[in-house]
Amino acid sequence: MAGRRDGLVLREKLQGSRRSRIAVAITLGILLGCALTLLYPGGLFSSDPPARLPHRPKSDLQIDSSSCESEERVNALKSDIASLSEKNVDLKKQVRELQEKLRMAEQGQDNAQKQFLVLGEQHKAGPFGTVKGLRTNPTVMPDESVNQRLAKLLEEVAIRKEIIVALANSNVKDMLEVWFTSIKKVGIPNYLVVALDNEIAELCQSNEVPMYKRDPDQDIDSIGKTGGNHAVSGLKFRILREFLQLGYSVLLSDVDIVYLQNPFDHLYRDSDVESMTDGHNNRTAYGYNDVFDEPGMGWARYAHTMRIWVYNSGFFYIRPTIPSIELLDRVAGRLSRETNSWDQAVFNEELFFPSHPGYEGLHAAKRTMDHYLFMNSKVLFKEVRKDADLSKLKPVIVHVNYHPDKLPRMKAVIEFYDNGKKDALQSFPDGSEW
């Protein structure tokens, strides 16, 4: 019995000891939780920095965390800071460049919605037959920083921001004299010769002809001084860009042209480009429906096509608009890459070809000039001189573009229209004699 009693007493002592340890553990857990709550009020795993413990004097064993950073690490950080500073300067420069490109891109957005915002308030469509789309693109903001010397000259020569411009080198000296003599006789004051060599510059100065000599440009000068008619003709698209950027409308003129009236009195100014035509009648000049016949197609043998004879790139009026400048850029760019291309063909392709897969067409407004007022030499020598009624009509200009014997025909035009010599044109054949 005594042994059994002793066993019960021992078991009770062990159970009491176990309960005591559990109580102690619970108490310690509560105390630890309270301590952690005081030390980490935001939570033990919070992203917020832990609360700082009260400041205590550092002992030899307490080491400031900043002193743990090695000297190499500090130097590396300094190097990174210097590198980032340099990159920051480059980034600022790139940002400025991007901002400028963005400004130019925004200026170049000439879609219909923006034009409405620029030109006036939006309106509902009117009744049937009364609705008309926009015809005239807004002009660009003049930028005199492009060429201050030219800007100052144009202020003196141009009238109402319009000017006749011709490019010339010594290869066309004789025709140039006939050209500016006819202009003077009509009394046109706002014209300018872009002299491509010193001989032309001296000729203009001696005849009191407004002249502009460009600053030296190796690529342009080599073409301007030695190039033939086609080379110089292609060069004009690059040079004209500055005139448009300065805010001036230009009536571009080749020198194989005789002026009989002031052309500025006969312009509409409702399009980006207003050009004379190589067409010789209403159909070829203004367009017509040409039917293509393919008998093998049976019922669908007839295909209708729209045709128009090309604009003449030697005489056109161009307004300072974004589409006009884009046209000049496109033509000049292609001519620089396609050395065998003819500038007039490229000029018309860029002006007329529509957008299609892989190609974005030019959104430019265009107008064809009256082919009897702005007359090419085919119209004159094949038709007008042989018609008693048409020969009484005095054109604004005559462009001797269809014939290689340009100088004698130019002089004959002056004799016929200005001096009243009725047979002045009769000795020339309709076309050229090979």
Side-chain angles (χ1 to χ4, degrees), residues 268-323:
Y268 285 81
R269 301 174 176 86
D270 63 347
S271 304
D272 298 298
V273 177
E274 193 169 343
S275 177
M276 73 171 296
T277 175
D278 272 2
H280 56 92
N281 53 33
N282 286 349
R283 282 166 51 84
T284 57
Y286 311 134
Y288 63 102
N289 181 6
D290 185 51
V291 180
F292 175 77
D293 184 10
E294 189 176 3
M297 287 298 295
W299 175 82
R301 64 181 292 179
Y302 299 111
H304 290 256
T305 69
M306 299 305 300
R307 298 190 63 184
I308 185 172
W309 286 33
V310 295
Y311 282 178
N312 191 288
S313 63
F315 189 87
F316 59 86
Y317 178 80
I318 186 166
R319 295 176 57 249
T321 67
I322 289 296

Side-chain angles (χ1 to χ4, degrees), residues 192-292:
L192 181 71
V193 174
V194 178
L196 300 177
D197 57 34
N198 292 330
E199 186 175 354
I200 293 299
E202 293 170 0
L203 174 69
C204 292
Q205 290 173 346
S206 62
N207 287 275
E208 297 182 346
V209 171
M211 178 272 300
Y212 169 64
K213 186 80 161 53
R214 301 183 72 261
D215 293 329
D217 185 310
Q218 184 174 357
D219 294 334
I220 292 180
D221 287 349
S222 62
I223 299 173
K225 291 179 179 179
T226 61
N229 288 342
H230 286 305
V232 173
S233 187
L235 179 63
K236 66 194 173 195
F237 296 98
R238 292 176 60 183
I239 295 178
L240 281 184
R241 193 184 204 277
E242 292 184 351
F243 288 80
L244 268 59
Q245 284 182 278
L246 294 172
Y248 288 84
S249 296
V250 175
L251 184 58
L252 189 281
S253 174
D254 282 353
V255 296
D256 56 345
I257 293 176
V258 174
Y259 286 76
L260 302 169
Q261 298 185 58
N262 190 329
F264 293 111
D265 296 336
H266 300 272
L267 298 175
Y268 285 81
R269 301 174 176 86
D270 63 347
S271 304
D272 298 298
V273 177
E274 193 169 343
S275 177
M276 73 171 296
T277 175
D278 272 2
H280 56 92
N281 53 33
N282 286 349
R283 282 166 51 84
T284 57
Y286 311 134
Y288 63 102
N289 181 6
D290 185 51
V291 180
F292 175 77

Side-chain angles (χ1 to χ4, degrees), residues 107 139-146 161 244-248:
Q107 188 180 25
T139 58
V140 299
M141 182 181 297
D143 183 6
E144 293 191 0
S145 65
V146 171
K161 306 288 283 188
L244 268 59
Q245 284 182 278
L246 294 172
Y248 288 84

Side-chain angles (χ1 to χ4, degrees), residues 12-42:
E12 290 176 356
K13 287 182 178 180
L14 290 172
Q15 290 175 351
S17 177
R18 187 180 295 117
R19 285 194 294 269
S20 297
R21 287 197 299 270
I22 291 172
V24 170
I26 292 172
T27 302
L28 288 173
I30 294 172
L31 292 175
L32 181 60
C34 292
L36 291 174
T37 302
L38 290 173
L39 292 174
Y40 299 96

Side-chain angles (χ1 to χ4, degrees), residues 332-349:
R334 281 189 56 185
L335 291 175
S336 66
R337 299 187 301 270
E338 305 168 13
T339 55
N340 294 324
S341 293
W342 181 28
D343 70 282
Q344 181 159 291
V346 175
F347 175 73
N348 280 271
E349 288 171 1

